């Protein structure tokens, strides 16, 4: 309990996990005297101290998108939440991406990544090719799954945006 509270206190004070671990080593006399390693401290911080619920993250993400829209009216986003307020689909494109599409709309590619993020959301990106043959980002999406309905929703948003 003492170790957990110390880690939490240090995290609130923005003390680096390595420094927190070193304080435990100094107090114990040696790292051999501890029943945990520095990685355990980092895992505890990630898993417990910074544990923000998926629902709260979805709300904050939506608020962030609204702030972007307030700053620039040409910012576009569509957010589709599930009944439990988790992200189901989201698509966004900033003003620069929308303007780039007007010039570089001849070739547009869409690709998705594997589920690599914390919530197993699939990241998709719309990419065009500029007059120098370089890739230019035209829009991004997060999707809960890669089913027909998700892609239908996404491509309808893409068409509405562009």
């Amino acid at each position: 309990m003492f170790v957990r509270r110390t880690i939490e206190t240090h995290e609130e004070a923005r003390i680096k996990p390595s420094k927190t671990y070193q304080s435990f080593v100094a107090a114990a006399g040696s790292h051999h005297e501890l029943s945990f390693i520095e990685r355990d401290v980092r895992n505890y911080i990630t898993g417990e101290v910074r544990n923000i619920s998926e629902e709260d993250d979805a709300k904050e993400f939506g608020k962030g998108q609204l702030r972007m829209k307030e700053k620039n009216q040409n910012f576009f986003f569509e957010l589709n939440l599930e009944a439990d307020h988790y992200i189901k689909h989201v698509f966004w494109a900033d003003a620069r991406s929308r303007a780039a599409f007007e010039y570089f709309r001849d070739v547009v590619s869409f690709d998705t990544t594997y589920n690599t993020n914390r919530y197993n959301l699939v990241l998709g990106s719309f990419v065009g090719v500029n007059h120098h043959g370089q890739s230019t980002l035209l829009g991004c999406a997060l999707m809960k799954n890669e089913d027909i309905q998700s892609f239908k929703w996404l491509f309808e948003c893409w068409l509405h945006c562009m």
Side-chain angles (χ1 to χ4, degrees), residues 100 103-104 107 128-136:
Y103 291 103
F104 311 120
V107 176
V129 179
N130 68 17
H131 56 280
H132 297 290
Q134 300 166 325
S135 298
T136 182

Side-chain angles (χ1 to χ4, degrees), residues 77-94:
F77 81 98
E78 287 284 334
L79 179 61
N80 186 2
L81 300 177
E82 294 180 314
D84 51 7
H85 302 287
Y86 294 163
I87 292 176
K88 185 174 183 181
H89 313 108
V90 62
F91 168 77
W92 69 96
D94 64 3

Side-chain angles (χ1 to χ4, degrees), residues 22-98:
Q22 289 304 316
S23 72
F24 291 126
V25 171
S30 166
H31 69 277
H32 297 293
E33 301 296 321
L34 296 174
S35 61
F36 56 93
I37 60 174
E38 184 178 335
R39 169 57 58 209
D40 295 327
V41 172
R42 292 181 187 281
N43 288 342
Y44 180 75
I45 290 169
T46 303
E48 299 295 327
V49 178
R50 295 183 186 165
N51 188 15
I52 300 171
S53 74
E54 187 174 351
E55 181 179 342
D56 290 342
D57 283 355
K59 286 178 187 175
E60 289 302 314
F61 183 82
K63 287 179 188 176
Q65 298 288 43
L66 285 172
R67 284 192 298 274
M68 292 293 291
K69 180 73 172 170
E70 289 170 2
K71 287 181 183 178
N72 188 334
Q73 290 301 310
N74 286 330
F75 180 82
F76 180 91
F77 81 98
E78 287 284 334
L79 179 61
N80 186 2
L81 300 177
E82 294 180 314
D84 51 7
H85 302 287
Y86 294 163
I87 292 176
K88 185 174 183 181
H89 313 108
V90 62
F91 168 77
W92 69 96
D94 64 3
R96 176 181 268 176
S97 296
R98 294 177 80 186

Side-chain angles (χ1 to χ4, degrees), residues 1-9 24 44 49:
M1 193 52 119
F2 167 76
V3 171
R4 289 180 178 163
R5 287 192 186 186
T6 303
I7 293 171
E8 291 167 6
T9 303
F24 291 126
Y44 180 75
V49 178

Side-chain angles (χ1 to χ4, degrees), residues 139-154:
C140 292
L142 291 172
M143 300 182 302
K144 197 68 166 181
N145 42 26
E146 295 179 278
D147 58 11
I148 292 171
Q149 288 299 92
S150 295
F151 284 111
K152 183 178 178 192
W153 180 90
L154 177 61

